Amino acid sequence: MAVVDALKKFSPLGWPWSRGRAKSCRPFSLIFSQFRTVLGANNRALELMADMGEKLSGDYLFDQRYVDSTVEELLRAMQDAVAALNALTEERWVSLAPILAGLEERVRAIVTGRDDREGPALLWLAEIKSHHWPLIGGKAAHISELLQHPQVRVPEGFVITTRSFHDLLDANPGLRAKFGRFEQLLAADKVDEDELEALRADLEARVQKVQPPPGLLDGLVAMVARLNAVAAGAPLFLAVRSSAQEEDLDFSFAGQFHSVLQVPAQPAAIFEAYCQVVASLFGAKAVRYRRQVFPEGGTLSIAACCQRMINAKASGIIYTDDPMAPGTRNMLVVGAFGQGQAVVEGQLPTDFFRLAKGEPPQLIDATIARKEVALMANAGSNGGLTTIPVAAAQAQEPCLAEAKLLELAGTAGHLEILFKRPQDIEWTVDAADTLYILQARPLLLNEPQQERKPLSEKLAGYALIAVDQGRVAQQGIGAGPVCLVETLADLKTFPAGAVLVSHRDSSQFVQVMQQAAAIVTEVGTPASHMATLCREFRVPCLVGVPEIFGKVTDGEEITVDADDRRIYRGRVVELLTYQAATAMNVQMAPEFRMLRRILRNVSRLHLVDPLMQEFRPEGCQTFHDMLRFIHETAVLTLVDIGRDEECMPGGKLARRLELPIPAGIVAIDIGGGIADDAPPDAVPFTAIRSLPFRAILQGMLFPEVWHRAAMPVSFQDMMHSMLTAPQDALSGQYTGHNIAIISDTYVNLCFRFGYHFNIIDAFCHDVERDNHIYFRFLGGATDIAKRSRRATLIATILEAFDFSVRTRGDLVIARTSNLVQSEMERSLDILGRLVGFTRQLDVQMTDDAAVERYAEAFLMGDYGIVARDM
């Protein structure tokens, strides 16, 4: 198979190598200029996203005009990026336009307040995506997140979305007008209290008598059928719970809206329960609470989360931080026999358990109440709940055994790490002793009055590791044991709740962000892909902290204060308590909440690894995905054009390099890559001005890297390489040479050494976001087993230097990006050494032990091992 065919087959982008059109050869200087245009548009969009993310820190004031103007500017930058990519690729990616149009429409719907009514009327919980959140309310959004984690068991179900709420208003004459007037009154500077109360009461009564909107009952039939399939013949009842737009997000709305339990699994009964939930939106206590927490007004709609009802043996609440003693690293469990409604409403005596956090958690003490009655599900056809007596022998027993308590505490600790703050969690245990999580919301803690002294006094006793160092990528405070991440392989063993410390940032850290308490890197930028992900997952993050990797040890507990750019030794309880007590004092302005909804649809990154098969236009779910795809596609375009000899200029533009090693390189300078006073031929190394090319050559020229003697190749290997050599290897205008297309900041280097082929494509300057390295290796002069071992050797070394690597047989593809200039030059120097070191090494790859031996030698700087083994 020809090398081109092999590369086409492996193409991670589904690259349109052939579109049935004639080849167009453009000046490479024009192509490079178009590439820079792509980078410029991408950078504008990323900078706008970063600015929007910073505004959510709470340190900035902004209004609706900022939101409107920034969104429009972002949309223009996205349109420019798509247009620039199509100019570069000669319209090969026109399929991006309709994808961008769909994403634009979603963002505009948020800005215009239509995002809660455009979408499906019903959604299966397990199929909810982040862009559905405006339709499902805060409680259902949290539950949908819980479903993504296999260690958390959540009852199956579906959501009647806010689209159904608006359909209901429109389907019943007069209801939409009354609702509009109700919202006007709530937003008015001076409210007619009598009119508001009369309208509220009228809406509350009317909603309970409405007719279902068209198609809703049929949709409920389909959803119930899916739930019956899950129940597998067991009696099916539902819990229909409120899920308003802000519920369990910025505002708890705890107990303000109505929930209906043990609802028969019949569409009419579910709709009746849903109407009770909707009516509670207009309940007196809900309206009173709403006016207190955001008096500026703003339309509020409501969804309903409908889940399979659990026949509970015991239920209750667990607080992942003790509200009575914040910062003590204790959890508090409150529970009783039967359903949890009796616990949350304070209707019956409850057991109290205090547990210490840890691996595993430990039970500290328990206060067991005498529980003479329990609230249980009514198994009759009408459903509902009923109070039944508890057997005298059981009344004084704890509602949960210690083993189940420890399991609950472990699950709750996981959720605290996941949501990055203490949690208030409702749980239940069924008759088979299976633990279910019903919902989770942020826990608001208050610092005890007697401990309210200046925070600076409390922090004076803690040792500081770093003060006013680095740049803030995401504000917040996190504490945990240090996990030093030197290579991407270290992420596989990352412990939950640890602080990730690394030499440089990487978007691959997204694999552990939900587990990380904080992230600190020596190199990075607040506008990188990783920084955007940290803002999305709310992981406190400092980048550019000098020498932090050497100042901490693996497993040492530290506290990262990304608000004040400080890192402390040990766990600073006072800071963590301060954060928990103040984090819910968020910006309550509608502009703040709107901007956050926009960023959920803009900044989430799903296309993390460009070497994965999903890295296609169809996989772009957000603007961030699209920007990542555009950047990586632009890079691959340069790689592809750079290796196409038919379109490369010849003649006087190609200048031979005079190097101390027989590398046979000719350079084509497209701007600033070679000194003006360099000779027209035999250009010396000292005349190279291209930053990335010079770094590669410097590595190739490192002592002992380039072994001059030929490796002894067996007759069998030689015949195998001749029979399987790429057919196009002996054709082309530069046969016998290695070609470098260079500028002051760019290199596209194509190596052909014997029967193996290398491509290095790199852009390097002082803007980290633009910088990238693409490396591709294929072939060799031996059989496939030896060539594949050499590929494994190369991949092992590249992974040690933080490259993202994929291999297939003897093919290696590796990438890295978003590095500061000094790190780029270091990485390119390593690639130069790697090219020289492995040039003929497939001959020596006789077994797997050889891979390990040569990898260790390279990483230890023992490049002379190759010459010694000849």
Side-chain angles (χ1 to χ4, degrees):
M1 178 184 288
V3 64
V4 174
D5 293 333
L7 297 180
K8 289 178 187 177
K9 182 177 179 182
F10 192 75
S11 175
L13 298 182
W15 184 253
W17 293 84
S18 176
R19 297 283 184 175
R21 66 181 76 174
K23 179 180 293 187
S24 171
C25 291
R26 296 165 287 165
F28 200 87
S29 57
L30 171 62
I31 294 168
F32 188 64
S33 174
Q34 292 170 330
F35 174 73
R36 296 293 298 270
T37 302
V38 174
L39 293 184
N42 257 37
N43 284 340
R44 285 202 313 278
L46 287 170
E47 287 165 3
L48 288 165
M49 288 164 53
D51 186 71
M52 293 163 79
E54 287 178 353
K55 292 297 187 292
L56 293 183
S57 67
D59 289 342
Y60 301 89
L61 294 176
F62 61 92
D63 57 14
Q64 188 63 42
R65 284 178 297 179
Y66 167 80
V67 177
D68 294 341
S69 62
T70 305
V71 165
E72 289 302 320
E73 198 174 345
L74 177 60
L75 295 180
R76 284 194 296 273
M78 292 300 304
Q79 292 161 1
D80 290 346
V82 171
L85 180 67
N86 276 303
L88 174 66
T89 62
E90 297 183 293
E91 307 301 322
R92 285 192 172 118
W93 295 104
V94 293
S95 60
L96 287 173
I99 296 172
L100 176 59
L103 297 177
E104 283 185 11
E105 177 59 28
R106 192 186 303 164
V107 171
R108 290 191 188 279
I110 298 173
V111 175
T112 58
R114 294 180 290 108
D115 58 324
D116 67 338
R117 63 185 74 183
E118 295 186 356
L122 298 164
L123 281 167
W124 189 253
L125 264 174
E127 296 171 357
I128 286 172
K129 306 297 182 185
S130 60
H131 67 267
H132 291 133
W133 279 23
L135 289 165
I136 63 173
K139 184 181 295 181
H142 274 302
I143 293 172
S144 71
E145 281 195 298
L146 296 178
L147 280 165
Q148 306 306 314
H149 300 275
Q151 60 268 63
V152 181
R153 188 183 294 274
V154 179
E156 303 82 356
F158 59 91
V159 178
I160 304 175
T161 71
T162 54
R163 154 73 183 277
S164 292
F165 170 76
H166 286 285
D167 288 348
L168 183 143
L169 294 179
D170 294 332
N172 290 272
L175 209 54
R176 170 64 71 183
K178 286 182 176 292
F179 177 73
R181 178 57 182 161
F182 173 74
E183 294 294 341
Q184 282 179 353
L185 287 173
L186 285 177
D189 293 333
K190 187 175 181 180
V191 179
D192 184 331
E193 297 293 344
D194 291 337
E195 183 185 1
L196 177 62
E197 173 57 25
L199 191 54
R200 178 206 67 72
D202 185 38
L203 281 167
E204 184 180 19
R206 280 176 178 264
V207 165
Q208 297 185 64
K209 302 173 185 176
V210 294
Q211 295 299 309
L216 181 60
L217 292 183
D218 290 338
L220 290 175
V221 169
M223 289 296 176
V224 169
R226 293 184 71 171
L227 277 177
N228 271 316
V230 172
L236 179 62
F237 292 86
L238 303 184
V240 181
R241 294 187 172 92
S242 64
S243 184
Q245 280 181 310
E246 301 294 341
E247 189 176 2
D248 288 354
L249 289 175
D250 288 340
F251 313 101
S252 73
F253 279 94
Q256 304 304 307
F257 299 129
H258 194 51
S259 292
V260 187
L261 304 182
Q262 198 70 358
V263 177
Q266 300 158 4
I270 297 170
F271 179 70
E272 181 181 347
Y274 167 66
C275 289
Q276 293 179 48
V277 169
V278 174
S280 68
L281 183 65
F282 309 106
K285 64 177 182 177
V287 172
R288 190 161 48 246
Y289 177 90
R290 178 179 169 186
R291 295 178 71 185
Q292 288 173 347
V293 296
F294 47 103
E296 76 292 333
T299 301
L300 185 67
S301 55
I302 193 166
C305 187
C306 307
Q307 294 174 274
R308 181 171 63 87
M309 189 77 185
I310 303 301
N311 187 15
K313 179 173 70 173
S315 305
I317 298 169
I318 179 169
Y319 300 117
T320 62
D321 205 340
D322 187 345
M324 306 304 157
T328 55
R329 290 185 57 74
N330 291 338
M331 295 183 180
L332 184 65
V333 178
V334 183
F337 295 126
Q339 296 293 333
Q341 185 173 349
V343 177
V344 299
E345 297 292 344
Q347 297 171 341
L348 296 175
T350 52
D351 296 340
F352 286 81
F353 306 91
R354 202 154 50 93
L355 298 100
K357 294 180 181 178
E359 289 293 339
Q362 291 183 333
L363 178 61
I364 299 173
D365 57 48
T367 302
I368 308 302
R370 182 168 182 81
K371 303 172 288 296
E372 296 180 347
V373 295
L375 189 65
M376 304 298 289
N378 189 338
S381 60
N382 293 327
L385 302 180
T386 185
T387 300
I388 65 171
V390 174
Q394 190 185 7
Q396 200 63 50
E397 292 294 314
C399 64
L400 285 182
E402 184 171 345
K404 190 57 62 175
L405 271 170
L406 298 182
E407 180 188 346
L408 172 61
T411 300
H414 169 76
L415 295 180
E416 182 179 55
I417 294 169
L418 173 67
F419 291 118
K420 301 296 183 287
R421 60 165 293 115
Q423 294 292 299
D424 170 353
I425 300 166
E426 292 187 28
W427 56 268
T428 194
V429 174
D430 70 5
D433 215 30
T434 302
L435 173 66
Y436 289 87
I437 300 300
L438 302 180
Q439 59 183 343
R441 63 167 66 96
L443 172 64
L444 177 60
L445 296 173
N446 293 311
E447 189 177 18
Q449 186 68 38
Q450 64 271 23
E451 296 182 11
R452 291 181 185 173
K453 57 183 179 180
L455 189 59
S456 58
E457 293 182 22
K458 302 177 185 179
L459 303 181
Y462 291 94
L464 281 160
I465 303 171
V467 181
D468 297 332
Q469 292 185 329
R471 290 178 287 177
V472 177
Q474 166 62 22
Q475 291 186 317
I477 299 165
V482 169
C483 179
L484 297 175
V485 175
E486 294 194 76
T487 71
L488 296 179
D490 294 333
L491 298 177
K492 297 175 182 176
T493 56
F494 186 87
V499 176
L500 191 158
V501 178
S502 184
H503 290 297
R504 55 170 291 257
D505 75 6
S506 170
S507 61
Q508 294 288 346
F509 293 167
V510 72
Q511 300 174 41
V512 299
M513 279 185 183
Q514 292 184 325
Q515 301 171 266
I519 295 176
V520 184
T521 68
E522 293 182 338
V523 176
T525 167
S528 70
H529 291 302
M530 185 207 74
T532 300
L533 290 165
C534 283
R535 287 189 287 272
E536 175 193 336
F537 287 99
R538 298 188 181 186
V539 181
C541 180
L542 290 174
V543 296
V545 180
E547 301 176 353
I548 185 63
F549 204 85
K551 294 179 180 178
V552 296
T553 58
D554 209 49
E556 172 190 6
E557 192 150 45
I558 65 172
T559 299
V560 178
D561 182 354
D563 292 335
D564 291 336
R565 295 190 300 137
R566 295 185 170 215
I567 302 175
Y568 298 84
R569 294 200 189 278
R571 187 177 187 88
V572 183
V573 174
E574 293 84 354
L575 266 180
L576 296 169
T577 303
Y578 168 78
Q579 174 180 246
T582 58
M584 285 297 289
N585 184 23
V586 296
Q587 303 297 316
M588 297 182 182
E591 296 86 1
F592 183 91
R593 302 199 300 273
M594 176 183 290
L595 185 60
R596 187 179 54 201
R597 292 204 302 274
I598 290 169
L599 279 176
R600 285 198 196 112
N601 284 271
V602 163
S603 65
R604 290 206 168 200
L605 183 62
H606 306 89
L607 302 187
V608 175
D609 190 345
L611 300 180
M612 297 300 288
Q613 194 63 35
E614 295 78 16
F615 207 90
R616 302 187 303 269
E618 299 80 8
C620 294
Q621 301 180 42
T622 65
F623 285 176
H624 200 177
D625 287 336
M626 186 165 281
L627 291 172
R628 187 68 187 271
F629 178 83
I630 288 171
H631 182 272
E632 296 299 332
T633 303
V635 170
L636 198 64
T637 299
L638 282 191
V639 173
D640 185 44
I641 294 172
R643 59 168 296 283
D644 188 349
E645 294 187 356
E646 293 182 31
C647 287
M648 284 298 99
K652 296 180 180 179
L653 288 178
R655 301 165 73 176
R656 182 176 58 87
L657 301 192
E658 185 69 40
L659 300 174
I661 57 174
I665 300 175
V666 296
I668 300 170
D669 184 10
I670 60 173
I674 297 175
D676 294 339
D677 58 354
D681 192 41
V683 177
F685 171 75
T686 54
I688 301 300
R689 295 291 180 266
S690 170
L691 286 173
F693 187 39
R694 184 180 181 87
I696 294 170
L697 292 177
Q698 187 170 287
M700 292 171 63
L701 295 174
F702 197 84
E704 297 189 302
V705 162
W706 193 277
H707 37 275
R708 296 175 181 271
M711 286 280 188
V713 182
S714 69
F715 177 77
Q716 180 181 355
D717 282 339
M718 179 59 71
M719 291 301 297
H720 191 278
S721 63
M722 291 176 65
L723 292 172
T724 59
Q727 296 302 308
D728 63 347
L730 301 178
S731 62
Q733 59 176 317
Y734 293 115
T735 298
H737 292 288
N738 298 307
I739 312 156
I741 303 165
I742 61 174
S743 75
D744 55 342
T745 56
Y746 175 73
V747 61
N748 181 287
L749 179 58
C750 293
F751 285 119
R752 294 182 176 181
F753 292 128
Y755 294 99
H756 86 248
F757 306 88
N758 248 141
I759 295 174
I760 301 176
D761 187 279
F763 186 85
C764 174
H765 70 162
D766 57 357
V767 179
E768 295 117 286
R769 274 194 312 277
D770 294 348
N771 293 340
H772 75 263
I773 301 173
Y774 176 95
F775 174 90
R776 181 183 280 168
F777 181 96
L778 178 70
T782 59
D783 62 58
I784 187 62
K786 291 179 180 177
R787 300 200 312 269
S788 297
R789 290 192 189 103
R790 176 167 61 174
T792 301
L793 167 66
I794 292 170
T796 301
I797 294 170
L798 289 173
E799 286 175 346
F801 289 98
D802 288 340
F803 280 79
S804 177
V805 185
R806 291 290 182 274
T807 62
R808 180 177 295 172
D810 59 349
L811 173 65
V812 181
I813 294 179
R815 297 178 186 234
T816 191
S817 59
N818 286 307
L819 303 180
V820 297
Q821 183 175 314
S822 59
E823 284 290 305
M824 282 288 296
E825 294 182 62
R826 170 180 171 269
S827 297
L828 290 164
D829 181 293
I830 292 297
L831 285 186
R833 300 184 195 194
L834 186 63
V835 167
F837 182 81
T838 61
R839 189 167 49 95
Q840 303 178 63
L841 209 53
D842 53 331
V843 175
Q844 301 284 47
M845 298 288 104
T846 53
D847 53 37
D848 293 342
V851 175
E852 185 175 344
R853 178 168 175 262
Y854 283 104
E856 182 178 0
F858 185 95
L859 296 174
M860 296 298 294
D862 181 13
Y863 308 119
I865 186 174
V866 178
R868 295 196 302 272
D869 287 351
M870 286 184 175

